[in-house]
Amino acid sequence: MTRLWEKPGGAPLDERVLRYTAGEDHRLDARLVPYDVRASIAHAEMLGEGGLLAPAEVAAIREGLAALGDAHAAGEWQIELGDEDVHTALENRLTAAIGEAGARLHLGRSRNDQVLAALRLYLRDEVAALAAGARAVAAALDELAAREAATPLPGYTHQQPAMPSSVALWAGGFAGELRDDALGLEGCRRRIDLNPLGSAAGYGVPLLPIDRESTRRRLGFAAVQQPVTAVQLSRGKAEAQVLFEVALMQQDLGRLAADLVLWSGREFGFVALPAAMTTGSSIMPQKRNPDVFELVRGRTATAQACLLEALAITAKLPSGYHRDLQLLKVPLFRGLDLARATLDVMAAAIGGVRFRADHIRLPPELGATEEAYRLVLEQGLPFRDAYRQVAARYEE
């Protein structure tokens, strides 16, 4: 397998170097195949507009890449370690399929702007999917609130009963925050939606009539990223921003799960969890365990770790491109996959949650704040005096 950077007749690459430098890219890049196909077709069409490729070559590249994308989606080929990455895998297969036109495709670009284009197209779709997933969980909470509209709950501060609340208020609070998470994710598009193509290795393309606006338009990016030297400096920022929003969302889901774990225990008994979303014990036949909710709670740490890893990779790099940047894919994809899976399981689980109103008691002291306000309204007392009067009753 010939890699894009290899010279004919050069010394063969040590297999240990290949395994270490390619890392997991040949597996991770599978999700980027359709996006690299799209970006490569846009690049070829731009080259054709500039007279750098003949119309027949553009047509062959377009058809060849589309066929390769379809074949990959059908499982007919996969990226191998010897390919090193998605870019080599596609270009080598394209050249084998259509001949010399495939070898002309890389004119005017580097793998550096090529991978960024694919990643940003992918992230654009992922952010939209995650925002939709957050809203789906919020909608499930809305349905829970409507179904349990008459069910009271104690509201807690410092893990102690504090004021009267309800399932509707509790579920509505989480629904509101998840919709805020969706907006936060969508706000990441400002950094994602910039066309990197034409920046090449970070310093532009000499001599050739590269039209960055053409590829921007074809790929639907909001703007061309300028100047070209900003492109490599920007790497990791959109990724970290998305992972930050994922961490916030995962934290909201984790706190929601923590309440359900606590309230499903016998000591509270407020909640009956859906049987299909609980597991059994290998030793205690009477047990049903809230494993999925515990793991949602625990994986908040995973989301935070992905964010910190992404930030640390770029923290002290000098300007320009560095191979370190390849390592961003691991925490990025892991964080996104975790978020997708968590949203999917929580949207399904919430639909089966039932509150047990007969187990929920609101002790009379939860009305203390209301009593103090009543004294203010009915007797004109300053709030602090009313507060003290009510407090004295509960000290007796």
Side-chain angles (χ1 to χ4, degrees):
M1 182 65 64
T2 302
R3 284 162 284 275
L4 300 185
W5 50 267
E6 285 184 318
K7 299 176 179 62
L13 184 66
D14 189 306
E15 282 295 312
R16 290 168 295 189
V17 173
L18 174 61
R19 285 193 298 271
Y20 195 79
T21 56
E24 300 176 63
D25 264 24
H26 62 292
R27 290 188 295 270
L28 296 173
D29 278 8
R31 71 186 70 198
L32 296 182
V33 169
Y35 300 100
D36 200 45
V37 165
R38 282 178 57 195
S40 293
I41 289 173
H43 179 72
E45 290 173 341
M46 179 274 294
L47 292 177
E49 287 177 347
L52 297 170
L53 286 177
E57 291 175 320
V58 174
I61 289 169
R62 185 190 301 114
E63 292 167 12
L65 284 171
L68 283 169
D70 291 343
H72 183 268
E76 295 173 14
W77 65 273
Q78 60 185 1
I79 305 169
E80 306 288 348
L81 175 61
D83 291 319
E84 191 174 33
D85 54 34
V86 61
H87 318 301
T88 299
L90 278 171
E91 186 172 319
N92 282 343
R93 285 168 175 80
L94 178 66
T95 303
I98 69 171
E100 188 175 306
R104 295 183 185 277
L105 175 61
H106 203 63
L107 181 68
R109 68 177 180 177
S110 163
R111 284 188 301 173
N112 298 335
D113 60 341
Q114 187 178 355
V115 69
L116 260 186
L119 274 170
R120 287 178 180 176
L121 292 171
Y122 163 75
L123 277 177
R124 199 165 62 184
D125 284 354
E126 278 296 298
V127 161
L130 290 174
R135 291 190 175 102
V137 178
L141 286 163
D142 290 342
E143 292 173 7
L144 175 62
R147 189 168 67 244
E148 304 276 0
T151 307
L153 273 180
Y156 291 87
T157 65
H158 304 277
Q159 204 58 59
Q160 300 175 64
M163 290 182 70
S165 184
S166 65
V167 173
L169 275 174
W170 172 82
F174 279 109
E177 285 307 292
L178 284 161
R179 289 191 171 97
D180 178 70
D181 294 330
L183 291 173
L185 285 160
E186 288 169 341
C188 297
R189 279 199 61 155
R190 182 183 66 82
R191 282 198 169 100
I192 294 168
D193 222 5
L194 298 174
N195 181 24
L197 289 176
S199 64
Y203 303 95
V205 179
L207 301 179
L208 302 181
I210 297 298
D211 185 351
R212 302 186 68 201
E213 176 59 25
S214 172
T215 50
R216 181 209 69 77
R217 186 177 64 253
R218 293 176 186 281
L219 295 171
F221 285 116
V224 171
Q225 188 165 11
Q226 297 284 10
V228 290
T229 46
V231 174
Q232 294 306 315
L233 286 171
S234 75
R235 292 188 68 169
K237 292 174 74 173
E239 294 91 331
Q241 186 178 7
V242 171
L243 289 172
F244 174 73
E245 295 296 342
V246 162
L248 291 181
M249 181 178 68
Q250 192 73 31
Q251 184 167 290
D252 286 333
L253 294 167
R255 296 181 74 180
L256 170 60
D259 279 352
L260 292 173
V261 170
L262 183 67
W263 292 346
S264 67
R266 184 175 294 275
E267 292 81 359
F268 280 82
F270 291 179
V271 169
L273 299 176
M277 292 292 177
T278 61
T279 62
S281 165
S282 65
I283 186 172
M284 296 166 285
Q286 84 283 8
K287 289 289 299 297
R288 295 300 297 179
N289 300 318
D291 290 37
V292 70
F293 301 97
E294 292 173 325
L295 290 172
V296 169
R297 181 180 63 189
R299 283 177 172 145
T300 299
T302 307
Q304 293 172 353
C306 291
L307 170 61
L308 290 175
E309 184 175 353
L311 288 170
I313 287 167
T314 59
K316 295 186 178 180
L317 290 179
S319 63
Y321 171 76
H322 307 275
R323 191 66 181 263
D324 313 48
L325 296 168
Q326 171 187 323
L327 302 178
L328 286 165
K329 289 178 185 175
V330 174
L332 176 65
F333 293 168
R334 187 182 187 200
L336 293 174
D337 290 348
L338 167 63
R340 280 250 204 170
T342 303
L343 289 168
D344 183 54
V345 76
M346 287 298 279
I350 288 165
V353 169
R354 297 290 181 273
F355 279 80
R356 306 172 69 182
D358 58 321
H359 285 218
I360 300 171
R361 296 287 182 270
L362 271 60
E365 61 267 24
L366 267 62
T369 301
E370 184 176 336
E371 289 179 48
Y373 285 151
R374 185 172 290 111
L375 290 174
V376 170
L377 294 173
E378 294 177 357
Q379 301 182 24
L381 292 179
F383 174 72
R384 195 50 60 200
D385 291 344
Y387 174 97
R388 292 190 181 102
Q389 280 193 30
V390 174
R393 296 176 197 169
Y394 291 98
E395 290 171 359
E396 295 172 358

